[in-house]
């Protein structure tokens, strides 16, 4: 001790102060909880840009080591010259807002570990921006690996630790704008059961259908041993259904065994239609795939266990733990699981496609797939890529051309990123089809306004046709007396559904123009939307009956002619009740595609009881029916009888993947990039439910316990750097509303008590009679 004191006396006062400062700073850093440091780092939306794959499988090679020519590596490449960064702000305190950030980007792992941003050091930047932060450092070199991390300061005066280190690789060609994607990923799945059919025949069930191949390890006694392998999506009487109908998949393969133990991969035969020039082709490293749940093995005279046979599945990377949902209704839970898995399983090409029959992107499929993907994963790249792919490769339905505008707005609303809007703004203006409008604002494909210049502006070489819903009467095996899925819609030159879409496209283009500072365009779109809305309700609304006609020239009123105006906000408030009643009277008289807009209309009309009834229905026009017939991926149609050539792997049939989080649990962005969140649960008779909903800013957790007209308890947790408007049931002025046990004021909006501007963190709300 004396020796220590003597040493201290020899230190200068300045050195002593420096040592003291270092000690205090060290203890201050130790006092910051590690969970306060930023997490969920993304570059161009990608949270796993540093992962390396070999033939679709994750490997233990780091991105900066993935240069060995002897290996066939796949990895993400960032082609954008100035990529954008994002992260999740973390805090143990409620009402946390980021006050500043510092980003370091380095050219080596050594430099980033030393906190040296030799490519970019943003310094402490006073800003609450935690998304879409554009790289502003030295020019990035092509085909190079970079490392980055970030730290934050918040409004409580807390300076976080630096995040974990993330890395990315630039591509050989650098562009001003480019959407990045992951490589496709593979996952091996073993059977859930193997059932012997005889001494040499086996029925194998993998539990779920998936796109992929079969991999087997078998023993051959002689070189002449041969086994037959059957793959299929459907089963009948304990065997694979070998005549399943439509394009439900079944295939057969012969395998000659070599002597002794060997492993085999069955090469999938190519289908002429889904590998044609317009189809999305599988990458070489993935190989051709087929959807199957079941496998039969014939002629194998040895024992067979689960380790010997593998379903080699392919999908776009997705972390299933990023979302969950559970409720007191067992049917609803099964529907959620079906639809969540469908989003993963149908991503097998890395682009949203219509299913296995064609493997072609269509706007309607992509729109529903986009919303569903947002509902189950913190993933935005495949949705953006698919939307941008379709801008230059549109399909024929009039309404679907305009869906590009809807997808563009969803992309911006859920991510807060304007870069795609900026890059495709001219295209999006054309996709609103304003060039087809008459003096009243209505558009039509039947009035001679479709010129070569119009088609060129939307990148389409073909004939535009109104679709309303699909399939229609008299096609795809439906006879002329069979109704199809349009509820008897009477097509006219001025079509109600088409013009409802046009109104929505105009409305959204006005918002897009405003976001991009295009004031003159904003004025035009807003004025045109206002004119169309007035004409729409003057010419198409039968005020006496309180319903919309299918078009000008007919008195027929269909589900479609009413649900689309209701979903798109066209209905006058005084008529909305009757329109809603009419919609409910028609039941599920639409396809699985139309159900998206039906459920949007139902929940936006605050008709939660009917919404829940549709989601949990067990009729043959229900999601439960998809489960009952034996599929584990959502179907293209409600049942084979409604579309005889349907397939069993359409993501547009997975509507509840977005309706449950967005409408039933009520979680939606009020401001772009979830800066402000609406939490508006509509539980109807559900006793309880809970959800983890991933957003670009972090997870939103919502749960409730519900005794209708008696009590309602809502638990919410929202990420730091966000606020929310919370909607609770309003039963009477005498009800008690509390937040964390204390009385709280609210604003009555219809049947809701609304508490505005709730800050981040966890809160408990209760309503009692």
């Amino acid at each position: 001790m004396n020796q220590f004191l003597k040493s201290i006396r020899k230190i200068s006062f300045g050195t002593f102060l420096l040592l003291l400062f270092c000690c205090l700073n060290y203890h201050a850093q130790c006092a910051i909880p590690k969970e306060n440091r930023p997490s969920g780092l993304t570059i161009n939306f990608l949270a796993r840009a540093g992962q390396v794959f070999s033939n679709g499988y994750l490997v233990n090679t780091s991105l900066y080591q993935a240069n060995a020519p002897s290996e066939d590596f796949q990895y993400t490449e960032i082609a954008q010259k100035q990529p954008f960064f994002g992260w999740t702000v973390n805090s143990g305190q409620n009402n946390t807002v980021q006050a500043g950030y510092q980003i370091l980007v380095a050219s080596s792992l050594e430099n980033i570990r030393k906190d040296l941003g030799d490519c970019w050091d943003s310094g402490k930047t006073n800003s609450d921006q935690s998304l879409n932060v554009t790289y502003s450092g030295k020019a990035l070199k092509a085909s190079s690996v970079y490392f980055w991390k970030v730290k934050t300061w918040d409004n409580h005066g807390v300076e976080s630790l630096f995040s974990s280190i993330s890395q990315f690789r630039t591509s050989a060609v650098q562009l001003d704008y480019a959407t990045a994607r992951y490589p496709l990923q593979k996952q091996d799945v073993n059977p859930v059961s193997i059932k012997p059919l005889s001494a040499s025949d086996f029925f194998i069930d993998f539990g779920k259908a998936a796109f992929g191949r079969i991999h087997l390890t078998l023993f051959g006694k002689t070189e002449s041993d041969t086994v037959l392998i059957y793959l299929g999506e459907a089963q009948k009487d304990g065997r694979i259904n070998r005549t399943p109908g439509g394009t439900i998949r079944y295939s057969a393969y012969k395998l000659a065994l070599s002597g002794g133990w060997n492993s085999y991969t069955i090469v999938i035969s190519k289908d002429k239609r889904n590998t044609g020039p317009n189809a999305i082709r599988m990458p070489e490293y993935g190989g051709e795939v087929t959807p199957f749940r079941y496998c039969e093995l014939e002629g194998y005279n040895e024992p067979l266990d689960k380790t010997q046979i593998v379903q080699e599945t392919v999908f776009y990377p997705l972390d299933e733990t990023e979302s969950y949902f559970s409720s007191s209704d067992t049917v609803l839970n099964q529907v959620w699981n079906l639809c969540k898995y469908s989003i993963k399983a149908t991503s097998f090409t890395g682009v949203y496609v219509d299913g296995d029959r064609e493997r072609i992107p269509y706007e309607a499929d992509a729109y529903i797939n986009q919303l569903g993907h947002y509902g189950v994963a913190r993933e935005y790249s495949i949705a953006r890529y698919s939307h941008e792919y379709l801008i230059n490769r549109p399909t024929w339905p009039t309404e679907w051309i305009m869906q590009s505008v809807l997808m563009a707005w969803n992309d911006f609303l859920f991510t807060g990123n304007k870069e795609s809007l900026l890059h495709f703004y001219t295209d999006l203006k054309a996709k609103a089809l304003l060039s087809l409008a008459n003096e009243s604002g209505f558009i039509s494909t039947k009035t001679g306004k479709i010129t070569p210049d119009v088609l060129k502006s939307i990148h389409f070489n073909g004939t535009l046709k109104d679709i309303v819903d699909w399939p229609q009467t008299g096609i795809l095996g439906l006879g002329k007396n069979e109704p199809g899925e349009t509820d008897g819609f009477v097509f006219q030159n001025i079509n109600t559904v088409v013009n409802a879409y046009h109104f929505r496209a105009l409305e959204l283009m006005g918002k897009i123009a405003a976001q991009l500072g295009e004031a003159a365009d904003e004025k035009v779109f807003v004025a045109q939307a206002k004119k169309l809305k007035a004409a729409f309700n003057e010419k198409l609304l039968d005020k006496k009956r309180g319903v919309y006609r299918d078009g000008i020239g007919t008195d027929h009123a269909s589900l479609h002619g009413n649900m689309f105006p209701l979903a798109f906000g066209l209905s006058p408030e005084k008529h909305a009740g009757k329109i809603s009643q009419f919609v409910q009277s028609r039941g599920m008289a639409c396809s699985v595609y139309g159900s998206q807009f039906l459920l949007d209309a139902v929940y936006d009309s605050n008709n939660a009881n009917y919404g829940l009834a549709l989601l949990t229905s067990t009729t043959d026009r229900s999601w439960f029916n998809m489960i009952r017939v034996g599929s584990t991926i959502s179907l293209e149609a409600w049942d084979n009888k409604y579309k005889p050539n349907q397939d069993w792997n359409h993501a547009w049939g997975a509507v509840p993947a977005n309706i449950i989080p967005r409408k039933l649990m009520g979680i939606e962005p009020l401001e772009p990039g979830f800066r402000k969140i609406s939490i508006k649960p509509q539980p109807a008779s559900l006793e309880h439910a809970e959800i983890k909903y991933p957003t670009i800013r972090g997870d939103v957790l919502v749960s409730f316990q519900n005794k209708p007209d008696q009590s309602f308890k809502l638990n919410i947790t929202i990420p730091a750097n966000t606020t929310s408007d919370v909607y609770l049931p309003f039963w009477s002025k005498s009800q008690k509303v509390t937040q964390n046990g204390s009385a709280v004021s609210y604003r009555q909006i219809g049947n809701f008590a609304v508490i505005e501007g709730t800050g981040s963190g966890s809160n408990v709300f209760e309503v009692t009679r």
Side-chain angles (χ1 to χ4, degrees), residues 60 73 201 252 256 263 293 389 411 419 486 518 525 550 633 677 685 694 708:
N60 62 340
F73 289 127
D201 299 347
S263 294
R293 172 180 173 176
Y389 179 96
D411 176 272
E419 295 196 18
T486 61
E518 299 285 351
F525 285 120
D550 291 348
I633 303 175
I677 306 167
S685 60

Side-chain angles (χ1 to χ4, degrees), residues 490-718:
V490 178
F491 286 82
Q492 299 291 306
N493 287 348
I494 301 298
N495 175 328
T496 299
V497 172
V498 166
N499 280 282
Y501 263 105
H502 183 50
F503 170 77
R504 183 60 173 160
L506 291 171
E507 186 179 49
L508 294 182
M509 280 308 306
K511 293 181 178 182
I512 290 169
Q515 288 290 335
L516 301 184
E518 299 285 351
D521 285 349
E522 178 192 2
K523 187 175 180 180
V524 169
F525 285 120
V526 170
Q528 197 70 15
K530 183 178 179 181
K531 179 166 71 172
L532 176 58
K533 186 173 184 178
F536 195 98
N537 288 307
E538 176 62 30
K539 301 287 187 181
L540 296 169
L541 179 61
D542 184 334
K543 297 177 179 64
K544 187 175 181 180
R545 290 189 293 166
V547 295
Y548 288 103
R549 306 177 185 91
D550 291 348
I552 295 177
T554 179
D555 284 329
H556 185 267
S558 64
L559 172 64
H560 300 73
N562 286 271
M563 71 182 185
F564 280 101
L566 201 59
F568 293 154
L570 273 159
S571 306
E573 188 174 344
K574 66 180 180 179
H575 294 288
K578 278 192 174 181
I579 296 166
S580 182
Q581 288 173 15
F582 176 80
V583 165
Q584 183 167 341
S585 75
R586 301 305 301 150
M588 191 70 85
C590 61
S591 73
V592 294
Y593 151 72
S595 71
Q596 174 68 58
F597 305 95
L598 171 60
L599 282 161
D600 276 336
V602 166
Y603 276 104
D604 288 349
S605 301
N606 302 321
N607 192 353
N609 288 314
Y610 186 48
L612 183 61
L614 291 172
L615 287 170
T616 59
S617 171
T618 57
T619 68
D620 63 356
R621 301 181 73 86
S622 70
W623 288 278
F624 185 78
N625 189 58
M626 300 181 188
I627 300 168
R628 182 167 51 213
V629 300
S631 186
T632 55
I633 303 175
S634 53
L635 308 185
E636 183 184 2
W638 297 118
D639 197 88
N640 288 1
K641 64 185 175 184
Y642 298 117
K643 193 172 189 296
N645 75 332
Q646 77 154 326
D647 59 29
W648 273 22
N649 40 67
H650 253 62
W652 84 342
V655 168
N658 79 79
I659 289 294
I660 288 172
R662 288 176 55 240
K663 300 300 182 181
L664 191 154
M665 300 303 287
I667 306 166
E668 294 193 274
L670 284 175
E671 295 181 7
F674 278 88
R675 186 183 188 91
K676 190 173 187 180
I677 306 167
S678 174
I679 299 179
K680 185 183 179 182
Q682 296 194 58
S685 60
L686 274 183
E687 295 176 4
H688 61 80
E690 60 177 332
I691 195 168
K692 177 184 177 185
Y693 180 59
T695 80
I696 198 163
R697 289 179 186 264
D699 296 332
V700 175
L701 307 178
V702 175
S703 65
F704 63 74
Q705 293 82 43
N706 176 44
K707 295 181 180 179
D709 294 322
Q710 296 181 45
S711 65
F712 183 75
K713 184 177 181 181
L714 179 70
N715 293 64
I716 71 168
T717 301
I718 64 171

Side-chain angles (χ1 to χ4, degrees), residues 287-577:
E288 190 49 70
V289 296
T290 190
F292 68 96
R293 172 180 173 176
Y294 305 107
C295 173
E296 281 188 37
L297 201 61
E298 283 188 1
Y300 186 63
N301 294 295
E302 302 292 330
L304 185 70
D305 66 47
K306 294 179 182 180
T307 63
Q308 290 175 249
I309 187 161
V310 170
Q311 184 190 43
E312 184 185 281
T313 72
V314 180
F315 57 95
Y316 194 75
L318 184 146
D319 180 354
E320 295 95 333
T321 67
E322 289 183 332
S323 66
Y324 64 73
F325 171 78
S326 180
S327 77
S328 52
D329 191 298
T330 56
V331 170
L332 188 64
N333 297 340
Q334 291 177 72
V335 167
W336 164 261
N337 290 331
L338 167 78
C339 295
K340 176 181 176 178
Y341 177 70
S342 298
I343 299 300
K344 175 183 177 179
T346 59
S347 68
F348 66 102
T349 67
V351 186
Y352 295 152
V353 293
D354 68 324
D356 191 48
R357 184 176 57 255
E358 295 181 296
R359 297 189 191 174
I360 294 174
Y362 287 90
E363 291 88 346
D365 299 80
Y367 175 79
I368 295 171
N369 210 329
Q370 174 192 43
L371 289 173
H373 219 135
Y374 293 167
V376 303
R378 187 172 176 252
E379 165 49 50
Y380 309 94
S381 61
I382 186 173
R384 174 172 282 194
Y385 184 89
S386 300
H387 153 58
E388 293 174 347
Y389 179 96
L390 281 159
I391 284 178
N392 291 299
R393 302 169 185 84
T395 58
W396 57 267
T398 315
E399 298 96 310
W400 297 2
I401 296 294
M402 293 179 281
Q403 281 181 341
S404 282
V405 178
L406 277 62
M407 284 188 281
W409 180 253
N410 285 341
D411 176 272
F412 172 62
L413 189 60
F414 281 76
T415 68
N417 185 280
K418 298 180 183 179
E419 295 196 18
S420 185
L421 296 181
L422 283 163
H423 191 76
F424 292 101
Y425 180 64
T426 300
D427 298 297
L428 293 171
K429 286 173 62 177
K431 300 277 186 177
L433 298 182
L434 186 53
S435 57
L436 303 185
N438 66 14
E439 65 281 356
S440 298
F442 290 114
I443 66 169
S444 174
T445 58
K446 304 287 188 180
T447 53
K449 288 182 176 287
I450 299 179
T451 65
D453 285 343
V454 169
L455 294 176
K456 184 178 179 181
S457 72
I458 60 173
H459 308 291
F460 184 62
N461 181 23
T463 303
L464 288 182
K465 295 180 182 179
D466 303 347
I467 193 168
V468 175
D469 208 338
W470 192 252
Q472 296 168 351
T473 301
I475 60 168
L476 303 175
L478 294 176
K480 291 183 178 180
N481 294 323
E482 293 177 282
E485 295 286 29
T486 61
D487 193 30
F489 188 90
V490 178
F491 286 82
Q492 299 291 306
N493 287 348
I494 301 298
N495 175 328
T496 299
V497 172
V498 166
N499 280 282
Y501 263 105
H502 183 50
F503 170 77
R504 183 60 173 160
L506 291 171
E507 186 179 49
L508 294 182
M509 280 308 306
K511 293 181 178 182
I512 290 169
Q515 288 290 335
L516 301 184
E518 299 285 351
D521 285 349
E522 178 192 2
K523 187 175 180 180
V524 169
F525 285 120
V526 170
Q528 197 70 15
K530 183 178 179 181
K531 179 166 71 172
L532 176 58
K533 186 173 184 178
F536 195 98
N537 288 307
E538 176 62 30
K539 301 287 187 181
L540 296 169
L541 179 61
D542 184 334
K543 297 177 179 64
K544 187 175 181 180
R545 290 189 293 166
V547 295
Y548 288 103
R549 306 177 185 91
D550 291 348
I552 295 177
T554 179
D555 284 329
H556 185 267
S558 64
L559 172 64
H560 300 73
N562 286 271
M563 71 182 185
F564 280 101
L566 201 59
F568 293 154
L570 273 159
S571 306
E573 188 174 344
K574 66 180 180 179
H575 294 288

